[in-house]
Amino acid sequence: MAIPAEMWTQARAAAPTPPKPASGGSGSFRGDIEGMRAVAVLLVLLGHAGIHHLPGGFVGVDVFFVISGFLITGLLLTELDQRGRLSLVDFYARRAKRLLPAAATVLVATLVLTYYFLPRGRWSTTAWDVIASACYAMNWRMAGQSLDYVAANDAPSIAQHFWSLAVEEQFYLVWPLLLIALGWVARRRARGRHGLYLFGLALIAVPSFGWALRVSPTDPSAYYVTTTRMWELALGGAIAVTATWLSRSPRLVAVPLAWAGLIVVGASAVLIRTEAGFPGYAALGPTLGTAAVIAFGPAAGRAGPALLLGRQPLRYVGGISYSLYLWHWPLLIAAQAHFGELGVVAALAVVAASAIPAALTYHFIENPVRRSPTLTARPPAALRVGAVCTCAAALAGLLFQLAIPSTAGPASTSVIMGQVPGATTQAAPPPAPGAMALGSSPRTSRAGAPVDQVASITPDPLAAKQDASLQNASCHVDLVSSTPKACVHGKPDSTTRVALVGDSHADHWIPALRGAAETNDWRLATYTKSGCPFLTAEISLDDRPYASCTEWNRRVRAELLGADRPDILITTHSVYPVRGEPESRSQSAMARELRKTWSSLIAEKLPVVVLRDTPLHLKDIAECVSENLKRLTRCAAPRAAALRLGGGPAQEEAAKGLTGVHLIDLNDWICPANRCAPVIGGVLVWRDAHHLTATYSATLAPRLGTALKPAIAEL
């Protein structure tokens, strides 16, 4: 992704340059590959802009990986052939002066965009994202967040596109060292060096591809981690090793294969509709297609894709593709944060506008640094420049983080209107009543109506994401594990044994249930898992089969019907697709499977209480509140739409007429008015778009206890 056109003149195959330099041999500038870089970045940009016909635009990243593997391996092999050794100082100096100045510029600019356009609630996360990006570790941070159900539902990071650059640089920490070792062996044997190089690439590619095939179908973190991506770069490296042999392919063979490769890349962007399964079998299309264009382009000559890819407009876009890739995403995220959800036309306008800073970066930062005679002649100086750029970007992120006002613990922190969030106050506000302010008739209570401003808000909206019971990892199962974790609340030896089972929407009821259990001397056992409803059927998560959820459900069911059997089961969940069911029948399929699950428990003499799912909003309420402390009504969503979007409709359909199931709906105390007030009784209701704050949940304890008593009385 980050290879300058000038480096083509240095890149030579491990054997003599093939003929037809105009069509692009590995030892000459190849306009077709420069054009291929343009294709790759345009696929990414158009995909991010939301072009409906390019759902798989993200395959442009796979194209970049293969191209980078080819180019860098070609440079390394050239140096081995010409000098008989590799200089790691020279290699990393070239990488540093090529990549780091532009990256540091964009990362610092990203912090500026964050300050002016992103909500304050995202500032801290963005600062750490910039630090991770500067250190080329963003892919591992993204991988961790993809397994964190709470983080996975956050707005996209303004620096998340740096993950692919991190993958490349991590690969180049390994490959040159392995190549040095293989080159040493080749010199001692004095023959078979190409075979040794291919063997080295196979040592990387085969385990990497095997691991990708194993984990990609079910593990969302597989998309980002280096271990599943290295085979794509190694594939490009293999083309570089065999470039001379491939350049001798008959034109009648090379022309159709090269064109077929380009067509396959385009078809992949059109036909692949999800990142699920990447980079496994689905990634073979864009990677092998790119490999075919590179491999057979020289033999195909002007009759091949070079006819299209070698044209000047595409070549120019390919030249600035690195800067274009760096700039487009921060501008898209900043525009979205400022103007709201962007339509396709608006997003395309932002993407097009990103070409301006990209071109300026290319001409005034990239080119002057990488063409500097001083830095070229003195590689250690280039390394120092790179180190300064990395440290500057990381330090900027750290200073940005330190400059953010700190907040206290989420349960006790509040915002007093007229003060800066996070500032020290002289006296804490009195305890906020939350749902208790609504009285017994919430739908007519003035306390539930949205207003522009309130005296204080608990918790501080900037700390709301931490105001959640699932932060206790010992009591909540993450996306990966299938081992149930039960936690007991209330009176352990009570004769009334209650169990709560479900996903994070069950988890956010724990403060309310815990309060009710303590008041009524119940024993409450909780079993919760991220993104996993209590259901015997298999569901999908991010278009992947959620196998750990299915297994977790099986094990929890065994515990519920075993020696630790409760007297009554309470469950709830958000909305999920049933595996194998079309989207048009999603609700009816879920209702059908819920009914089956509950009926099987009733047959085992275990009564079921279903807490009707809470409203689901289309925006992060805590984030909205933090930005609109004096216009809170901007954060009030229509009640009917919010209730319709969650898992409630399927629950209502499933519970209808089913003996032994009690459906409890407390949404009148959560969204009492026709528009859901973000703050009720001085308490922030939502910590994101669809989870209650633990503080507000706790204020629902008396209402929930009262609602549960009839069901418990029937035992």
Side-chain angles (χ1 to χ4, degrees):
M1 183 184 310
I3 311 301
E6 286 78 356
M7 290 174 69
W8 281 103
T9 59
Q10 306 170 33
R12 311 250 175 217
T17 302
K20 298 184 180 64
S23 66
S26 60
S28 64
F29 175 79
R30 285 186 56 180
D32 60 335
I33 297 187
E34 195 77 337
M36 199 66 191
R37 293 174 66 204
V39 169
V41 77
L42 289 174
L43 288 177
V44 172
L45 268 59
L46 295 176
H48 284 164
I51 299 296
H52 177 70
H53 297 295
L54 285 176
F58 56 85
V59 302
V61 172
D62 303 84
V63 175
F64 275 131
F65 284 155
V66 176
I67 293 174
S68 289
F70 172 78
L71 296 179
I72 291 298
T73 301
L75 288 171
L76 292 171
L77 294 179
T78 297
E79 186 172 350
L80 272 174
D81 285 345
Q82 293 179 349
R83 301 172 58 181
R85 62 181 180 84
L86 284 180
S87 169
L88 292 179
V89 172
D90 289 352
F91 172 74
Y92 290 119
R94 290 193 298 267
R95 300 297 292 167
K97 67 179 182 177
R98 169 65 177 106
L99 297 177
L100 301 183
T105 300
V106 174
L107 287 173
V108 172
T110 293
L111 291 173
V112 175
L113 291 171
T114 297
Y115 180 81
Y116 283 105
F117 296 107
L118 265 60
R120 290 174 55 87
R122 296 195 216 171
W123 287 10
S124 178
T125 300
T126 298
W128 289 116
D129 289 345
V130 166
I131 294 170
S133 298
C135 298
Y136 285 95
M138 188 60 180
N139 65 317
W140 293 103
R141 180 167 168 81
M142 291 291 297
Q145 290 175 345
S146 72
L147 297 176
D148 181 342
Y149 185 71
V150 178
N153 285 274
D154 289 347
S157 166
I158 196 171
Q160 73 176 32
H161 60 315
F162 273 82
W163 77 266
S164 61
L165 305 178
V167 169
E168 287 192 26
E169 297 316 303
Q170 290 161 29
F171 175 80
Y172 296 131
L173 290 176
V174 175
W175 180 225
L177 296 175
L178 182 56
L179 206 55
I180 287 174
L182 294 172
W184 180 82
V185 174
R187 287 194 302 274
R188 291 181 65 86
R189 294 179 57 188
R191 59 185 178 86
R193 58 183 178 179
H194 288 177
L196 279 173
Y197 299 152
L198 290 175
F199 173 74
L201 288 165
L203 286 177
I204 295 173
V206 173
S208 174
F209 186 59
W211 183 243
L213 293 180
R214 178 174 179 179
V215 300
S216 295
T218 58
D219 187 350
S221 69
Y223 188 83
Y224 302 104
V225 296
T226 312
T227 50
T228 62
R229 290 288 185 173
M230 294 177 81
W231 68 270
E232 297 182 288
L233 291 118
L235 175 61
I239 301 301
V241 173
T242 58
T244 300
W245 179 77
L246 291 168
S247 69
R248 301 192 184 106
S249 302
R251 177 165 291 197
L252 288 177
V253 173
V255 170
L257 286 178
W259 277 109
L262 183 59
I263 292 170
V264 166
V265 171
S268 297
V270 174
L271 299 176
I272 295 175
R273 310 197 68 82
T274 174
E275 295 173 357
F278 260 71
Y281 288 117
L284 289 174
T287 53
L288 293 179
T290 304
V293 173
I294 298 172
F296 298 106
R302 295 296 299 175
L307 179 67
L308 172 66
L309 299 175
R311 296 186 180 276
Q312 184 55 40
L314 276 180
R315 286 171 54 178
Y316 181 76
V317 173
I320 67 168
S321 60
Y322 176 54
S323 289
L324 196 54
Y325 180 84
L326 291 179
W327 276 106
H328 85 283
W329 184 252
L331 293 179
L332 267 177
I333 295 300
Q336 189 175 53
H338 184 69
F339 297 108
E341 193 69 29
L342 299 178
V344 173
V345 174
L348 284 173
V350 174
V351 166
S354 69
I356 297 174
L360 292 174
T361 302
Y362 175 74
H363 290 292
F364 295 104
I365 296 176
E366 283 190 60
N367 282 347
V369 173
R370 73 188 184 196
R371 291 174 178 171
S372 167
T374 300
L375 297 181
T376 301
R378 299 171 57 194
L383 286 176
R384 286 193 291 271
V385 169
V388 168
C389 291
T390 295
C391 292
L395 182 61
L398 183 61
L399 292 175
F400 192 84
Q401 171 68 32
L402 294 175
I404 299 171
S406 61
T407 54
S412 61
T413 303
S414 66
V415 171
I416 298 178
M417 303 309 296
Q419 295 186 346
V420 177
T424 303
T425 59
Q426 294 298 318
M436 297 302 295
L438 297 170
S440 59
S441 301
R443 294 285 283 160
T444 58
S445 172
R446 294 181 60 185
V451 294
D452 276 332
Q453 193 168 350
V454 294
S456 64
I457 302 174
T458 304
D460 185 331
L462 296 180
K465 284 186 174 20
Q466 286 72 51
D467 193 40
S469 60
L470 62 74
Q471 297 302 312
N472 185 352
S474 65
C475 297
H476 185 78
V477 179
D478 60 23
L479 293 172
V480 177
S481 176
S482 60
T483 303
K485 298 178 181 179
C487 282
V488 177
H489 310 273
K491 186 178 180 182
D493 58 349
S494 173
T495 57
T496 303
R497 299 161 67 87
V498 178
L500 172 71
V501 183
D503 62 357
S504 60
H505 281 213
D507 186 276
H508 71 197
W509 281 104
I510 288 179
L513 272 170
R514 185 168 53 226
E518 291 170 353
T519 299
N520 294 283
D521 291 333
W522 300 335
R523 179 188 187 273
L524 171 65
T526 62
Y527 302 83
T528 59
K529 174 175 168 62
S530 291
C532 184
F534 186 54
L535 196 70
T536 53
E538 186 179 37
I539 66 163
S540 297
L541 187 67
D542 296 329
D543 294 320
R544 293 176 169 88
Y546 195 3
S548 68
C549 177
T550 305
E551 177 62 17
W552 178 83
N553 268 295
R554 187 188 66 78
R555 295 182 180 183
V556 168
R557 179 185 173 88
E559 289 195 23
L560 293 174
L561 299 179
D564 212 19
R565 179 189 181 104
D567 299 308
I568 194 167
L569 171 69
I570 302 174
T571 186
T572 190
H573 55 81
S574 186
V575 59
Y576 297 94
V578 176
R579 185 77 176 164
E581 294 287 346
E583 186 177 351
S584 59
R585 295 206 303 265
S586 179
Q587 180 178 311
S588 60
M590 182 55 123
R592 180 192 70 229
E593 297 302 332
L594 286 172
R595 197 174 181 90
K596 287 181 183 178
T597 302
W598 301 340
S599 295
S600 68
L601 294 173
I602 295 167
E604 296 284 349
K605 310 300 183 185
L606 180 57
V608 177
V609 170
V610 180
L611 297 178
R612 203 269 187 204
D613 191 27
T614 48
L616 190 153
H617 303 286
L618 297 178
K619 59 184 174 183
D620 188 315
I621 300 301
E623 187 175 275
C624 179
V625 168
S626 70
E627 293 297 297
N628 296 280
L629 292 175
K630 296 184 178 181
R631 291 293 302 275
L632 295 176
T633 52
R634 291 180 176 177
C635 308
R639 170 188 165 97
L643 287 172
R644 187 171 59 248
L645 289 175
Q651 293 168 338
E652 291 175 348
E653 184 179 337
K656 190 177 298 182
L658 188 58
T659 303
V661 171
H662 300 263
L663 181 66
I664 294 177
D665 187 348
L666 293 185
N667 284 306
D668 285 353
W669 280 270
I670 296 170
C671 179
N674 290 332
R675 295 170 66 216
C676 299
V679 179
I680 296 176
V683 177
L684 181 66
V685 180
W686 311 96
R687 59 184 169 88
D688 52 26
H690 54 107
H691 292 101
L692 300 175
T693 62
T695 303
Y696 193 80
S697 176
T699 69
L700 290 165
R703 298 298 172 193
L704 183 55
T706 300
L708 284 171
K709 283 181 179 179
I712 292 177
E714 293 180 6
L715 299 176

